[in-house]
Amino acid sequence: SARPGWRSLFGAVVGLAAAVAGAGEKADIVQVTSPDGNVQLVVSLLDGQLVYSIDYNSTPVIVNARLGLKLADGTILGRDVQWSVSDVTNHNSIWTPVYGERSRIRDHYRAATIRCTPRRAGRLPFELLVRVYNEGAALAYRLLSPGGGSVPSHAGRGNPGAADSGKTAGTEARPRATSADDGPTEVTIVDELTEFAFPSDLVCWPVYSAQGIYKNAKLSQVRRNCERPLLVEFPGGPAVAVGEARLVDYARMRLQPAGRSFAVRAQLASEVEATLPYTTPWRVILLADNPCQLIERNYLILNLNDPCRLSDTSWIRPGKVIREVTLSTKGGKACVDFAVKMGLSFVEYDAGWYGHEYDERSDATTVTPDPKRTRNPDGLDLHEVIRYAKQRGIGVILYVNRRALERQLDDILPLYQKWGVAGVKYGFVQVGSQKWTRWLHDAVRKAAEHRLMVDVHDEYRPMGFSRTYPNLMTQEGIRGNETMPTAEHNTILPFTRGLCGAGDYTICWYTDRIKTTHAHQLACAVVFYSPWQFVFWYDRPAQYRGEPETLFFKHVPTVWEETRVLAGRPGEFIVMARRRGNEWYVGWLNAVRRRRLKIPLGFLDQGCSYEATLYTDASPEGTRPFEVAICKRRVVASDTLAAEAARNGGCAVRLVRTR
């Protein structure tokens, strides 16, 4: 572990001293400071109400935001309490993800466990869990057993140093109820009162469905059902994102007006049945100097999830995917051949291969193509396609609608494993309530038991569960090319939806429905992270004419060892650079206006030469959106690449180290 600097150490000591000196009824504040000293979180009692505030680089970003939970019996946890600090920890480790946007992740934080005891008899004791990172802060509630006694240390499976004993929204099984004579062993949470209160009416980027259209607004204009993460911008910085992590057995949080100026608060999708002891998901405040830096810090969501539970991950394989929609043997084999030619890894059989996906009578244990969707009279021998694909190193993914999933999950998973299927795409899953949140994450765990990878559609947004179960490869929860969004929308996504995890954007090429240029579509493969990256979504292998620019799709990886955000503004443009091995890839998405950009290459290895292949808009004025100009040049780290993009265009670059 790295040794903290003097300033951060001093801050931690001051915060701890304040907490200890005021422990019990007379406690005034508890302050926890990040390892680098730049983030300070203070918990205090304000007129008997538990509140918290956060400063980032001496700038107040959250101010006296209220905390608490409301139970079905009317009890408000967080009001009229006395407290003590029962645990203060430091944690510093580095872990290696199975795959991701970076190959190593540092998990470095200071934490406090604040024991809150109600002043009124008969009310539940609880603990407020606080973590403060250089990248932000997180809070969660642990509801204790009625007697308030200590919880066995083996009961929790949280991250090291998290003090996550007890029932956790991220653990695998629901524990038995605790036996006690002085209170309930199960409670119902009917509302969460956690607030995110800002100092002024700042600009933010709300959206009101997981696949909605982003429009910037003032905090005072945010309505109910606001999705998370919510990006909030201070003029000139910092940038803040409000999110959620380790949601597994709880109701999804969205955001709603808090009833007072410049504040939003949690909005749960359902009540929550909690067997005590029980720990809620993390409420996350991601902090950075600017929105670009937020993207580089998005690993905080993963850090707040439990470590990988799978002892063997060798069967988990990222890669690019093409969709097969003819529902035929011939079409499947054509997709396999195209995948081999274009460096793709998977073929996905989409809706209809086992019957109409919306028909409750359709049987996902059978291969019975929907006659209204099949486009080839030769029929579908799925087992022959799987055999042919496996022989050529290509995996087959099967789409299954939630109607069949809910009825047949325990039957189809072992069956698909027997068939040799690589993974399942869960379609139109129900999300939001505790019931369906629990069901979905159980379904991912069950898939892992049968060595099946998973892609979740449609409204599900990630909260970091892919760290714990990395067979969850990707998910939708994003307005992608199924609906053909504008270039402006695409430049907002990395700063908002992209902060919480992989997004199945479904990149397109040949369809004339695209609202951006082809160079923009190439750049999407770099900017939009998805370990399973669907490409040629509305396209068919027969449309391929050997266009040289499509070689970029062949070469570009889907997972990375290093990620940099070089420049950008939400709604205007973004430039990202990612490395895999000795190759770097740059993606530039442009919007609003024609723009000329210079890209410094200081991220390249010093003393090394690279061959740069640039794929740019052939007509920056926008008159030939589906034409791509290709040029090559030798570059070194001290060079700068210059390119020009149309208002809905972009640029993609491949940099291969030559010596």
Side-chain angles (χ1 to χ4, degrees), residues 25-97:
E25 288 191 32
K26 297 181 180 179
D28 295 318
I29 67 168
V30 177
Q31 176 177 306
V32 185
T33 303
S34 62
D36 66 2
N38 291 330
V39 183
Q40 291 85 34
L41 184 147
V42 174
V43 180
S44 58
L45 285 174
L46 184 63
D47 297 327
Q49 169 68 53
L50 199 62
V51 300
Y52 75 101
S53 300
I54 298 176
D55 285 6
Y56 178 68
N57 286 332
S58 302
T59 298
V61 293
I62 301 291
V63 181
N64 289 335
R66 290 177 286 205
L67 294 162
L69 301 170
K70 182 178 181 180
L71 306 184
D73 64 2
T75 299
I76 304 295
L77 303 182
R79 293 182 187 169
D80 198 21
V81 298
Q82 56 188 4
W83 68 22
S84 63
V85 179
S86 61
D87 192 18
V88 176
T89 60
N90 294 281
H91 180 81
N92 189 6
S93 65
I94 293 176
W95 60 280
T96 302

Side-chain angles (χ1 to χ4, degrees), residues 101 196 198 203-216 219 222-223 225-233 239-247 252-256 264-265 282-287 291 294-295 297-302 304 459-464 475-478 489 492-503 570:
E101 296 180 85
F196 308 91
F198 294 87
V203 171
C204 60
W205 294 85
V207 71
Y208 298 96
S209 70
Q211 299 180 61
I213 300 173
Y214 285 89
K215 296 290 183 183
N216 64 5
L219 280 166
V222 172
R223 309 190 307 272
N225 286 313
C226 177
E227 268 288 2
R228 75 280 184 263
L230 174 65
L231 170 64
V232 180
E233 295 187 81
V240 183
V242 174
E244 180 174 27
R246 204 186 60 191
L247 169 66
R252 177 200 62 207
M253 179 186 77
R254 282 183 172 170
L255 300 170
Q256 62 182 332
V264 294
R265 75 171 180 92
W282 291 104
R283 301 315 181 209
V284 185
I285 302 94
L286 186 62
L287 300 167
L294 278 180
I295 301 172
R297 296 181 165 194
N298 65 3
Y299 54 85
L300 179 60
I301 301 294
L302 295 174
L304 289 163
E459 282 287 293
Y460 174 78
R461 281 193 165 186
M463 284 73 61
Q475 52 272 303
E476 195 174 9
I478 188 171
H489 176 83
I492 298 170
L493 287 175
F495 299 100
T496 52
R497 166 61 179 82
L499 295 177
C500 63

Side-chain angles (χ1 to χ4, degrees), residues 98-133:
V98 176
Y99 55 78
E101 296 180 85
R102 46 196 65 82
S103 60
R104 285 159 52 88
I105 296 176
R106 189 178 187 187
D107 188 14
H108 193 195
Y109 61 85
R110 292 203 173 95
T113 301
I114 304 171
R115 177 68 172 267
C116 297
T117 305
R119 295 179 185 273
R120 297 185 186 180
R123 293 194 174 183
L124 283 179
F126 69 96
E127 291 173 336
L128 179 68
L129 309 179
V130 176
R131 289 193 195 176
V132 182
Y133 295 79

Side-chain angles (χ1 to χ4, degrees), residues 480-527:
N481 265 350
E482 281 191 330
T483 53
M484 294 298 173
T486 64
E488 183 178 2
H489 176 83
N490 288 346
T491 64
I492 298 170
L493 287 175
F495 299 100
T496 52
R497 166 61 179 82
L499 295 177
C500 63
D504 192 358
Y505 180 87
T506 57
I507 298 167
C508 294
W509 191 254
Y510 293 106
T511 176
D512 58 7
R513 294 172 56 199
I514 299 173
K515 295 179 181 177
T516 66
T517 69
H518 270 180
H520 186 106
Q521 291 294 308
L522 292 176
C524 285
V526 179
V527 174

